[in-house]
Amino acid sequence: MEKLNGNLILIGLMGAGKTTLGRQFAQMYDCPFYDSDLEICSASGVSISTIFEMEGEEGFRHRETLMLKKLSALNGIVLSTGGGSVLREENRCCLREHGTVVYLHALPEVLLERTRYDSSRPLLKTDDPLKKLRELYMVRDPIYRETAHIVIESESCAKTLRKLVECLDGQKFIEYDD
């Protein structure tokens, strides 16, 4: 495992637990937590679904890249990224350069169970969300693995958090500039 640096950055498909786990980890280590999707909504004043409707996925991805650059420039944070954040090579490089990237891995069937009642996910607004999750998984899983410093199976939040802490045991999580 590579030495941790700067920030802890969580990647993975929607429903993998990035936001939930990120918040808990940040609280444990008393450091700031950011969710890039929530920050995009806050900055734009509209939901991600609205951005998708108005600007399409490409418009959203542009906003996402700008936000990732802004957030990853901070130091000593936990950052939960959107599921598609790794699609652009410039994002992958930015994330790896500014932190330790952890891929929270979960199979599409598990992700469907976690997201089935969440209407705020534009990519799952389809007649067959499991098919869509499988398609996303096939494309993104190799990219997540290539980008990540650490891969952790995303089970229950408590188990996943315990695994993450164990992976980081003995490592200095945050290096502040004093």
Side-chain angles (χ1 to χ4, degrees), residues 1-11 25 77-79 94-103 147-151 164 167-168 171-175:
M1 182 179 83
E2 297 177 41
K3 181 164 173 44
L4 295 169
N5 67 62
N7 302 312
L8 179 66
I9 300 168
L10 302 173
I11 62 173
F25 192 88
I77 67 165
V78 176
L79 174 60
C94 179
L95 296 176
R96 283 188 61 86
E97 181 180 312
H98 290 96
T100 299
V101 181
V102 177
Y103 170 27
T147 306
H149 297 103
I150 302 168
V151 178
L164 181 57
C167 282
L168 305 178
Q171 300 281 334
K172 185 174 182 182
F173 167 54
I174 299 172
E175 296 178 10

mmCIF file of all heavy atoms in Angstrom, residues 1-11 25 77-79 94-103 147-151 164 167-168 171-175:
data_model
loop_
_atom_site.group_PDB
_atom_site.id
_atom_site.type_symbol
_atom_site.label_atom_id
_atom_site.label_comp_id
_atom_site.label_asym_id
_atom_site.label_seq_id
_atom_site.Cartn_x
_atom_site.Cartn_y
_atom_site.Cartn_z
ATOM 1 N N MET A 1 0.847 -1.196 0.000
ATOM 2 C CA MET A 1 0.000 0.000 0.000
ATOM 3 C C MET A 1 0.878 1.241 0.000
ATOM 4 O O MET A 1 1.878 1.299 0.697
ATOM 5 C CB MET A 1 -0.887 -0.005 1.242
ATOM 6 C CG MET A 1 -1.827 1.165 1.303
ATOM 7 S SD MET A 1 -2.901 1.142 2.744
ATOM 8 C CE MET A 1 -1.809 1.848 3.955
ATOM 9 N N GLU A 2 0.491 2.211 -0.793
ATOM 10 C CA GLU A 2 1.232 3.457 -0.849
ATOM 11 C C GLU A 2 0.952 4.295 0.400
ATOM 12 O O GLU A 2 -0.097 4.184 1.004
ATOM 13 C CB GLU A 2 0.815 4.244 -2.088
ATOM 14 C CG GLU A 2 1.137 3.530 -3.381
ATOM 15 C CD GLU A 2 0.645 4.281 -4.596
ATOM 16 O OE1 GLU A 2 0.778 5.520 -4.618
ATOM 17 O OE2 GLU A 2 0.146 3.631 -5.510
ATOM 18 N N LYS A 3 1.935 5.115 0.766
ATOM 19 C CA LYS A 3 1.756 5.989 1.924
ATOM 20 C C LYS A 3 0.644 6.996 1.650
ATOM 21 O O LYS A 3 0.526 7.531 0.564
ATOM 22 C CB LYS A 3 3.049 6.729 2.231
ATOM 23 C CG LYS A 3 2.931 7.628 3.451
ATOM 24 C CD LYS A 3 4.284 8.010 3.938
ATOM 25 C CE LYS A 3 4.231 9.029 5.042
ATOM 26 N NZ LYS A 3 3.270 8.824 6.070
ATOM 27 N N LEU A 4 -0.160 7.214 2.648
ATOM 28 C CA LEU A 4 -1.234 8.197 2.533
ATOM 29 C C LEU A 4 -0.657 9.593 2.385
ATOM 30 O O LEU A 4 0.382 9.900 2.927
ATOM 31 C CB LEU A 4 -2.101 8.154 3.790
ATOM 32 C CG LEU A 4 -2.855 6.856 4.001
ATOM 33 C CD1 LEU A 4 -3.457 6.826 5.387
ATOM 34 C CD2 LEU A 4 -3.921 6.697 2.956
ATOM 35 N N ASN A 5 -1.367 10.408 1.633
ATOM 36 C CA ASN A 5 -0.931 11.794 1.521
ATOM 37 C C ASN A 5 -2.128 12.723 1.418
ATOM 38 O O ASN A 5 -3.153 12.354 0.885
ATOM 39 C CB ASN A 5 -0.005 11.986 0.316
ATOM 40 C CG ASN A 5 -0.704 11.792 -1.015
ATOM 41 O OD1 ASN A 5 -1.629 12.511 -1.347
ATOM 42 N ND2 ASN A 5 -0.269 10.814 -1.779
ATOM 43 N N GLY A 6 -1.980 13.892 1.968
ATOM 44 C CA GLY A 6 -2.951 14.965 1.803
ATOM 45 C C GLY A 6 -4.368 14.679 2.234
ATOM 46 O O GLY A 6 -4.737 14.891 3.369
ATOM 47 N N ASN A 7 -5.170 14.173 1.324
ATOM 48 C CA ASN A 7 -6.593 13.984 1.535
ATOM 49 C C ASN A 7 -6.963 12.518 1.403
ATOM 50 O O ASN A 7 -6.249 11.745 0.775
ATOM 51 C CB ASN A 7 -7.372 14.796 0.493
ATOM 52 C CG ASN A 7 -7.033 16.273 0.555
ATOM 53 O OD1 ASN A 7 -7.014 16.867 1.618
ATOM 54 N ND2 ASN A 7 -6.748 16.862 -0.591
ATOM 55 N N LEU A 8 -8.102 12.177 1.948
ATOM 56 C CA LEU A 8 -8.674 10.851 1.720
ATOM 57 C C LEU A 8 -9.811 11.052 0.734
ATOM 58 O O LEU A 8 -10.738 11.828 0.985
ATOM 59 C CB LEU A 8 -9.202 10.244 3.016
ATOM 60 C CG LEU A 8 -9.834 8.867 2.844
ATOM 61 C CD1 LEU A 8 -8.793 7.844 2.419
ATOM 62 C CD2 LEU A 8 -10.525 8.426 4.114
ATOM 63 N N ILE A 9 -9.738 10.368 -0.405
ATOM 64 C CA ILE A 9 -10.698 10.554 -1.484
ATOM 65 C C ILE A 9 -11.397 9.234 -1.761
ATOM 66 O O ILE A 9 -10.739 8.222 -2.023
ATOM 67 C CB ILE A 9 -9.988 11.081 -2.744
ATOM 68 C CG1 ILE A 9 -9.316 12.430 -2.424
ATOM 69 C CG2 ILE A 9 -10.970 11.190 -3.900
ATOM 70 C CD1 ILE A 9 -8.349 12.912 -3.468
ATOM 71 N N LEU A 10 -12.729 9.259 -1.692
ATOM 72 C CA LEU A 10 -13.520 8.049 -1.887
ATOM 73 C C LEU A 10 -14.156 8.054 -3.266
ATOM 74 O O LEU A 10 -14.791 9.035 -3.668
ATOM 75 C CB LEU A 10 -14.603 7.959 -0.812
ATOM 76 C CG LEU A 10 -14.079 7.965 0.627
ATOM 77 C CD1 LEU A 10 -15.227 8.042 1.616
ATOM 78 C CD2 LEU A 10 -13.221 6.741 0.902
ATOM 79 N N ILE A 11 -13.973 6.936 -3.995
ATOM 80 C CA ILE A 11 -14.558 6.774 -5.323
ATOM 81 C C ILE A 11 -15.365 5.485 -5.340
ATOM 82 O O ILE A 11 -15.171 4.605 -4.506
ATOM 83 C CB ILE A 11 -13.495 6.769 -6.443
ATOM 84 C CG1 ILE A 11 -12.528 5.585 -6.285
ATOM 85 C CG2 ILE A 11 -12.742 8.092 -6.486
ATOM 86 C CD1 ILE A 11 -11.557 5.410 -7.455
ATOM 87 N N PHE A 25 -15.848 8.858 8.717
ATOM 88 C CA PHE A 25 -14.393 8.870 8.806
ATOM 89 C C PHE A 25 -13.896 10.268 9.177
ATOM 90 O O PHE A 25 -13.023 10.420 10.036
ATOM 91 C CB PHE A 25 -13.780 8.415 7.480
ATOM 92 C CG PHE A 25 -12.320 8.119 7.575
ATOM 93 C CD1 PHE A 25 -11.869 6.864 7.935
ATOM 94 C CD2 PHE A 25 -11.386 9.106 7.300
ATOM 95 C CE1 PHE A 25 -10.518 6.594 8.030
ATOM 96 C CE2 PHE A 25 -10.030 8.848 7.390
ATOM 97 C CZ PHE A 25 -9.591 7.590 7.753
ATOM 98 N N ILE A 77 -8.562 16.897 4.040
ATOM 99 C CA ILE A 77 -10.011 16.696 3.980
ATOM 100 C C ILE A 77 -10.339 15.250 3.607
ATOM 101 O O ILE A 77 -9.495 14.507 3.114
ATOM 102 C CB ILE A 77 -10.682 17.634 2.957
ATOM 103 C CG1 ILE A 77 -10.266 17.287 1.518
ATOM 104 C CG2 ILE A 77 -10.380 19.091 3.285
ATOM 105 C CD1 ILE A 77 -11.136 17.910 0.444
ATOM 106 N N VAL A 78 -11.590 14.895 3.838
ATOM 107 C CA VAL A 78 -12.163 13.669 3.293
ATOM 108 C C VAL A 78 -13.110 14.112 2.192
ATOM 109 O O VAL A 78 -13.956 14.974 2.403
ATOM 110 C CB VAL A 78 -12.919 12.866 4.378
ATOM 111 C CG1 VAL A 78 -13.594 11.646 3.769
ATOM 112 C CG2 VAL A 78 -11.968 12.450 5.499
ATOM 113 N N LEU A 79 -12.953 13.524 1.005
ATOM 114 C CA LEU A 79 -13.733 13.920 -0.159
ATOM 115 C C LEU A 79 -14.458 12.716 -0.735
ATOM 116 O O LEU A 79 -13.844 11.725 -1.107
ATOM 117 C CB LEU A 79 -12.810 14.528 -1.226
ATOM 118 C CG LEU A 79 -13.437 14.869 -2.575
ATOM 119 C CD1 LEU A 79 -14.568 15.879 -2.426
ATOM 120 C CD2 LEU A 79 -12.363 15.381 -3.532
ATOM 121 N N CYS A 94 -5.847 14.284 -11.041
ATOM 122 C CA CYS A 94 -6.018 15.278 -9.975
ATOM 123 C C CYS A 94 -6.262 14.587 -8.624
ATOM 124 O O CYS A 94 -5.643 14.950 -7.625
ATOM 125 C CB CYS A 94 -7.182 16.198 -10.334
ATOM 126 S SG CYS A 94 -7.539 17.460 -9.106
ATOM 127 N N LEU A 95 -7.136 13.604 -8.619
ATOM 128 C CA LEU A 95 -7.454 12.914 -7.366
ATOM 129 C C LEU A 95 -6.236 12.175 -6.821
ATOM 130 O O LEU A 95 -5.914 12.267 -5.636
ATOM 131 C CB LEU A 95 -8.619 11.943 -7.580
ATOM 132 C CG LEU A 95 -9.957 12.591 -7.968
ATOM 133 C CD1 LEU A 95 -11.006 11.513 -8.256
ATOM 134 C CD2 LEU A 95 -10.437 13.565 -6.912
ATOM 135 N N ARG A 96 -5.546 11.434 -7.667
ATOM 136 C CA ARG A 96 -4.371 10.670 -7.224
ATOM 137 C C ARG A 96 -3.254 11.595 -6.738
ATOM 138 O O ARG A 96 -2.520 11.259 -5.814
ATOM 139 C CB ARG A 96 -3.863 9.770 -8.333
ATOM 140 C CG ARG A 96 -4.708 8.523 -8.517
ATOM 141 C CD ARG A 96 -4.089 7.551 -9.495
ATOM 142 N NE ARG A 96 -2.793 7.062 -9.097
ATOM 143 C CZ ARG A 96 -2.588 6.012 -8.303
ATOM 144 N NH1 ARG A 96 -3.606 5.345 -7.808
ATOM 145 N NH2 ARG A 96 -1.368 5.622 -8.006
ATOM 146 N N GLU A 97 -3.137 12.732 -7.379
ATOM 147 C CA GLU A 97 -2.075 13.672 -7.024
ATOM 148 C C GLU A 97 -2.328 14.345 -5.673
ATOM 149 O O GLU A 97 -1.391 14.702 -4.967
ATOM 150 C CB GLU A 97 -1.962 14.737 -8.118
ATOM 151 C CG GLU A 97 -0.877 15.752 -7.891
ATOM 152 C CD GLU A 97 -0.817 16.771 -9.009
ATOM 153 O OE1 GLU A 97 -0.832 16.358 -10.184
ATOM 154 O OE2 GLU A 97 -0.764 17.981 -8.705
ATOM 155 N N HIS A 98 -3.598 14.525 -5.312
ATOM 156 C CA HIS A 98 -3.929 15.302 -4.120
ATOM 157 C C HIS A 98 -4.437 14.473 -2.943
ATOM 158 O O HIS A 98 -4.934 15.043 -1.973
ATOM 159 C CB HIS A 98 -4.968 16.370 -4.470
ATOM 160 C CG HIS A 98 -4.393 17.445 -5.321
ATOM 161 N ND1 HIS A 98 -4.506 17.449 -6.686
ATOM 162 C CD2 HIS A 98 -3.666 18.538 -4.998
ATOM 163 C CE1 HIS A 98 -3.885 18.502 -7.170
ATOM 164 N NE2 HIS A 98 -3.367 19.186 -6.171
ATOM 165 N N GLY A 99 -4.323 13.160 -3.021
ATOM 166 C CA GLY A 99 -4.783 12.376 -1.890
ATOM 167 C C GLY A 99 -4.619 10.896 -2.097
ATOM 168 O O GLY A 99 -4.126 10.438 -3.128
ATOM 169 N N THR A 100 -5.036 10.170 -1.097
ATOM 170 C CA THR A 100 -5.082 8.724 -1.168
ATOM 171 C C THR A 100 -6.482 8.345 -1.595
ATOM 172 O O THR A 100 -7.460 8.703 -0.940
ATOM 173 C CB THR A 100 -4.736 8.088 0.192
ATOM 174 O OG1 THR A 100 -3.407 8.480 0.530
ATOM 175 C CG2 THR A 100 -4.825 6.583 0.135
ATOM 176 N N VAL A 101 -6.578 7.639 -2.709
ATOM 177 C CA VAL A 101 -7.856 7.321 -3.312
ATOM 178 C C VAL A 101 -8.277 5.911 -2.906
ATOM 179 O O VAL A 101 -7.515 4.953 -3.084
ATOM 180 C CB VAL A 101 -7.777 7.431 -4.855
ATOM 181 C CG1 VAL A 101 -9.129 7.123 -5.484
ATOM 182 C CG2 VAL A 101 -7.295 8.824 -5.274
ATOM 183 N N VAL A 102 -9.481 5.810 -2.355
ATOM 184 C CA VAL A 102 -10.034 4.529 -1.914
ATOM 185 C C VAL A 102 -11.266 4.215 -2.752
ATOM 186 O O VAL A 102 -12.207 5.012 -2.804
ATOM 187 C CB VAL A 102 -10.410 4.556 -0.417
ATOM 188 C CG1 VAL A 102 -11.060 3.240 0.003
ATOM 189 C CG2 VAL A 102 -9.187 4.853 0.431
ATOM 190 N N TYR A 103 -11.244 3.063 -3.398
ATOM 191 C CA TYR A 103 -12.390 2.585 -4.180
ATOM 192 C C TYR A 103 -13.259 1.726 -3.280
ATOM 193 O O TYR A 103 -12.825 0.687 -2.793
ATOM 194 C CB TYR A 103 -11.891 1.798 -5.387
ATOM 195 C CG TYR A 103 -12.934 1.035 -6.182
ATOM 196 C CD1 TYR A 103 -14.274 1.426 -6.239
ATOM 197 C CD2 TYR A 103 -12.564 -0.081 -6.909
ATOM 198 C CE1 TYR A 103 -15.204 0.707 -6.980
ATOM 199 C CE2 TYR A 103 -13.481 -0.800 -7.664
ATOM 200 C CZ TYR A 103 -14.803 -0.401 -7.689
ATOM 201 O OH TYR A 103 -15.720 -1.107 -8.428
ATOM 202 N N THR A 147 -7.401 3.775 -10.695
ATOM 203 C CA THR A 147 -7.259 5.062 -10.019
ATOM 204 C C THR A 147 -6.942 4.911 -8.536
ATOM 205 O O THR A 147 -6.192 5.715 -7.975
ATOM 206 C CB THR A 147 -8.561 5.892 -10.179
ATOM 207 O OG1 THR A 147 -8.881 5.984 -11.566
ATOM 208 C CG2 THR A 147 -8.408 7.281 -9.590
ATOM 209 N N ALA A 148 -7.478 3.890 -7.913
ATOM 210 C CA ALA A 148 -7.404 3.746 -6.451
ATOM 211 C C ALA A 148 -6.031 3.305 -5.961
ATOM 212 O O ALA A 148 -5.347 2.513 -6.598
ATOM 213 C CB ALA A 148 -8.454 2.750 -5.979
ATOM 214 N N HIS A 149 -5.679 3.816 -4.790
ATOM 215 C CA HIS A 149 -4.530 3.307 -4.057
ATOM 216 C C HIS A 149 -4.942 2.083 -3.238
ATOM 217 O O HIS A 149 -4.134 1.203 -2.983
ATOM 218 C CB HIS A 149 -3.990 4.374 -3.097
ATOM 219 C CG HIS A 149 -3.476 5.591 -3.786
ATOM 220 N ND1 HIS A 149 -4.184 6.768 -3.841
ATOM 221 C CD2 HIS A 149 -2.320 5.821 -4.449
ATOM 222 C CE1 HIS A 149 -3.480 7.671 -4.506
ATOM 223 N NE2 HIS A 149 -2.352 7.123 -4.889
ATOM 224 N N ILE A 150 -6.214 2.086 -2.807
ATOM 225 C CA ILE A 150 -6.758 1.031 -1.945
ATOM 226 C C ILE A 150 -8.132 0.645 -2.478
ATOM 227 O O ILE A 150 -8.914 1.525 -2.845
ATOM 228 C CB ILE A 150 -6.912 1.530 -0.482
ATOM 229 C CG1 ILE A 150 -5.577 2.014 0.088
ATOM 230 C CG2 ILE A 150 -7.517 0.449 0.409
ATOM 231 C CD1 ILE A 150 -5.723 2.770 1.408
ATOM 232 N N VAL A 151 -8.446 -0.657 -2.491
ATOM 233 C CA VAL A 151 -9.781 -1.141 -2.841
ATOM 234 C C VAL A 151 -10.358 -1.831 -1.618
ATOM 235 O O VAL A 151 -9.707 -2.699 -1.022
ATOM 236 C CB VAL A 151 -9.742 -2.132 -4.028
ATOM 237 C CG1 VAL A 151 -11.141 -2.658 -4.340
ATOM 238 C CG2 VAL A 151 -9.128 -1.477 -5.258
ATOM 239 N N LEU A 164 -11.535 0.197 6.469
ATOM 240 C CA LEU A 164 -10.778 1.372 6.054
ATOM 241 C C LEU A 164 -9.794 1.778 7.140
ATOM 242 O O LEU A 164 -8.612 2.024 6.859
ATOM 243 C CB LEU A 164 -11.719 2.526 5.726
ATOM 244 C CG LEU A 164 -11.066 3.814 5.245
ATOM 245 C CD1 LEU A 164 -10.206 3.587 4.017
ATOM 246 C CD2 LEU A 164 -12.129 4.867 4.956
ATOM 247 N N CYS A 167 -6.916 -0.620 7.163
ATOM 248 C CA CYS A 167 -6.000 -0.386 6.035
ATOM 249 C C CYS A 167 -5.073 0.785 6.323
ATOM 250 O O CYS A 167 -3.933 0.808 5.882
ATOM 251 C CB CYS A 167 -6.774 -0.099 4.758
ATOM 252 S SG CYS A 167 -7.458 -1.541 3.969
ATOM 253 N N LEU A 168 -5.593 1.765 7.045
ATOM 254 C CA LEU A 168 -4.824 2.974 7.317
ATOM 255 C C LEU A 168 -4.043 2.890 8.622
ATOM 256 O O LEU A 168 -3.295 3.811 8.945
ATOM 257 C CB LEU A 168 -5.760 4.182 7.359
ATOM 258 C CG LEU A 168 -6.629 4.386 6.117
ATOM 259 C CD1 LEU A 168 -7.532 5.578 6.297
ATOM 260 C CD2 LEU A 168 -5.794 4.506 4.873
ATOM 261 N N GLN A 171 -0.571 4.421 9.547
ATOM 262 C CA GLN A 171 -0.272 5.448 8.555
ATOM 263 C C GLN A 171 -0.671 6.802 9.128
ATOM 264 O O GLN A 171 -1.630 6.909 9.870
ATOM 265 C CB GLN A 171 -1.076 5.203 7.272
ATOM 266 C CG GLN A 171 -0.811 3.886 6.624
ATOM 267 C CD GLN A 171 0.468 3.878 5.819
ATOM 268 O OE1 GLN A 171 0.917 4.909 5.344
ATOM 269 N NE2 GLN A 171 1.053 2.721 5.676
ATOM 270 N N LYS A 172 0.028 7.803 8.743
ATOM 271 C CA LYS A 172 -0.369 9.162 9.120
ATOM 272 C C LYS A 172 -1.401 9.609 8.095
ATOM 273 O O LYS A 172 -1.102 9.706 6.905
ATOM 274 C CB LYS A 172 0.842 10.089 9.112
ATOM 275 C CG LYS A 172 0.529 11.474 9.614
ATOM 276 C CD LYS A 172 1.788 12.286 9.712
ATOM 277 C CE LYS A 172 1.465 13.656 10.251
ATOM 278 N NZ LYS A 172 2.644 14.510 10.333
ATOM 279 N N PHE A 173 -2.628 9.821 8.526
ATOM 280 C CA PHE A 173 -3.705 10.140 7.589
ATOM 281 C C PHE A 173 -3.527 11.517 6.981
ATOM 282 O O PHE A 173 -3.523 11.692 5.783
ATOM 283 C CB PHE A 173 -5.076 10.013 8.257
ATOM 284 C CG PHE A 173 -6.186 10.618 7.445
ATOM 285 C CD1 PHE A 173 -6.388 10.245 6.137
ATOM 286 C CD2 PHE A 173 -7.008 11.578 7.993
ATOM 287 C CE1 PHE A 173 -7.384 10.809 5.369
ATOM 288 C CE2 PHE A 173 -8.005 12.149 7.232
ATOM 289 C CZ PHE A 173 -8.200 11.752 5.935
ATOM 290 N N ILE A 174 -3.401 12.508 7.814
ATOM 291 C CA ILE A 174 -3.398 13.872 7.321
ATOM 292 C C ILE A 174 -2.061 14.529 7.635
ATOM 293 O O ILE A 174 -1.580 14.452 8.757
ATOM 294 C CB ILE A 174 -4.539 14.694 7.951
ATOM 295 C CG1 ILE A 174 -5.871 14.068 7.592
ATOM 296 C CG2 ILE A 174 -4.482 16.135 7.495
ATOM 297 C CD1 ILE A 174 -7.028 14.669 8.312
ATOM 298 N N GLU A 175 -1.484 15.170 6.660
ATOM 299 C CA GLU A 175 -0.256 15.915 6.864
ATOM 300 C C GLU A 175 -0.586 17.392 6.720
ATOM 301 O O GLU A 175 -0.766 17.897 5.619
ATOM 302 C CB GLU A 175 0.797 15.495 5.846
ATOM 303 C CG GLU A 175 1.207 14.045 6.005
ATOM 304 C CD GLU A 175 2.226 13.615 4.971
ATOM 305 O OE1 GLU A 175 2.754 14.473 4.259
ATOM 306 O OE2 GLU A 175 2.472 12.408 4.886
#
